[in-house]
Amino acid sequence: MTQLLDRFTSYRIISQLQSTLEGRSICCPPYLEINTRDPSVIQAAVRSRQLSYPLICKTRVAHGSRSHEMSLIFSEAGLCDVHPPCVLQSFVNHGAVLHKVFVVGDDHFTVERPSLKNFPPGPCDRSTIFFNSHDVSKPESSSHLTALDDTMPRLPAPSDDAMVALVRQLRAQLGMSLFGVDVIVNLHTHTLTVIDINIFPGYEGVPQFFSSLLNYIESIMEKQEPSQPAVAPILSPQPTQRNEEQQPAGGDNS
């Protein structure tokens, strides 16, 4: 579980999915691990890895209140707003829809949530936007950052086959059966894009969560019950009578 508390580690796992799931139209955005405040070093790394603006910046810590503090950076000038250690990830336009995948053993459930709206690709003269992901992607969220043009066509839902393959591969790589995955659908290519893994998801919007969890726990217990060979019961020894009926001293009392 500790591997998912660190976005450096979890993003390395995510980046491996592209090769293991090749041909499934599943990818992850290019990203950078940042450990320095030097803007010139960060700029060189962004160019070298060919990250595209805008960039989304996330803390290295992937759990707790701080992990939800994020920012959108629109140009090299905005890299001075980076606070390491953190992750920089190319932002992918996705029609302001986030698909939260909740995994319970062999089952998974997908719930739609609001997400960041589309932004023009490429660098632009715009100040960094700081936001809390809970304010954007909770079921009851209402933010100007999620507002879309009414003419924006709705993107297709993620492919069931791709989702099943993704969950199966992540379960194998993580060695876990209870976790969450954040995925989006690329606005232009319709590719399923993995953007985060959640170690302690809330399973909000999954009414059948408790029954699925119970079924999964029961299945584990059934597999772990050892098959005991039949053993004949051990009979307790019968108490013995001492001298049959012991007569009191002095003989017959009659």
Side-chain angles (χ1 to χ4, degrees):
M1 290 167 62
T2 56
Q3 61 191 332
L4 295 188
L5 296 174
D6 182 349
R7 278 199 174 100
F8 284 6
T9 305
S10 64
Y11 274 46
R12 291 168 196 163
I13 293 171
I14 292 173
S15 66
Q16 294 171 8
L17 292 173
Q18 292 186 133
S19 56
T20 54
L21 294 174
E22 190 174 2
R24 292 279 187 176
S25 294
I26 298 174
C27 72
C28 67
Y31 77 99
L32 271 175
E33 298 173 6
I34 303 297
N35 285 301
T36 178
R37 287 181 179 272
D38 188 336
S40 62
V41 175
I42 300 174
Q43 287 174 15
V46 168
R47 293 171 188 164
S48 173
R49 293 293 296 272
Q50 298 183 330
L51 269 66
S52 56
Y53 290 95
L55 302 172
I56 187 163
C57 183
K58 305 178 184 180
T59 60
R60 179 175 183 176
V61 177
H63 183 66
S65 57
R66 274 198 66 237
S67 67
H68 302 291
E69 298 297 329
M70 303 182 184
S71 60
L72 271 173
I73 297 171
F74 295 91
S75 66
E76 289 188 346
L79 294 176
C80 62
D81 294 320
V82 167
H83 299 288
C86 61
V87 170
L88 286 179
Q89 186 182 56
S90 292
F91 179 77
V92 176
N93 283 328
H94 52 282
V97 176
L98 172 68
H99 300 275
K100 294 194 78 70
V101 184
F102 299 110
V103 179
V104 186
D106 294 327
D107 298 328
H108 72 272
F109 308 92
T110 305
V111 177
E112 280 192 14
R113 295 277 180 82
S115 186
L116 293 171
K117 64 183 179 181
N118 302 327
F119 290 93
C124 68
D125 185 17
R126 184 170 184 170
S127 298
T128 299
I129 297 175
F130 299 92
F131 66 97
N132 186 300
S133 62
H134 270 181
D135 297 334
V136 171
S137 296
K138 280 292 185 180
E140 66 281 1
S141 297
S142 177
S143 168
H144 68 282
L145 292 176
T146 64
L148 275 181
D149 188 330
D150 291 338
T151 61
M152 170 69 199
R154 184 169 177 79
L155 289 170
S159 158
D160 288 338
D161 289 344
M163 203 72 88
V164 169
L166 170 64
V167 169
R168 185 184 298 120
Q169 184 61 35
L170 277 175
R171 280 195 63 191
Q173 286 188 236
L174 297 173
M176 295 173 62
S177 300
L178 297 170
F179 60 92
V181 192
D182 290 348
V183 300
I184 57 177
V185 176
N186 187 303
L187 177 66
H188 304 292
T189 65
H190 294 178
T191 303
L192 190 67
T193 305
V194 185
I195 58 173
D196 228 333
I197 308 176
N198 305 308
I199 184 173
F200 293 121
Y203 291 91
E204 293 174 273
V206 184
Q208 61 271 58
F209 167 63
F210 289 107
S211 59
S212 296
L213 179 61
L214 180 59
N215 290 338
Y216 180 60
I217 292 173
E218 287 178 338
S219 70
I220 291 176
M221 293 176 66
E222 289 172 1
K223 291 176 184 176
Q224 291 182 344
E225 286 179 357
S227 53
Q228 297 287 349
V231 178
I234 300 175
L235 299 178
S236 301
Q238 296 296 319
T240 57
Q241 292 181 327
R242 288 188 290 179
N243 301 327
E244 295 188 359
E245 291 183 1
Q246 218 174 22
Q247 297 292 333
D252 190 350
N253 287 333
S254 57

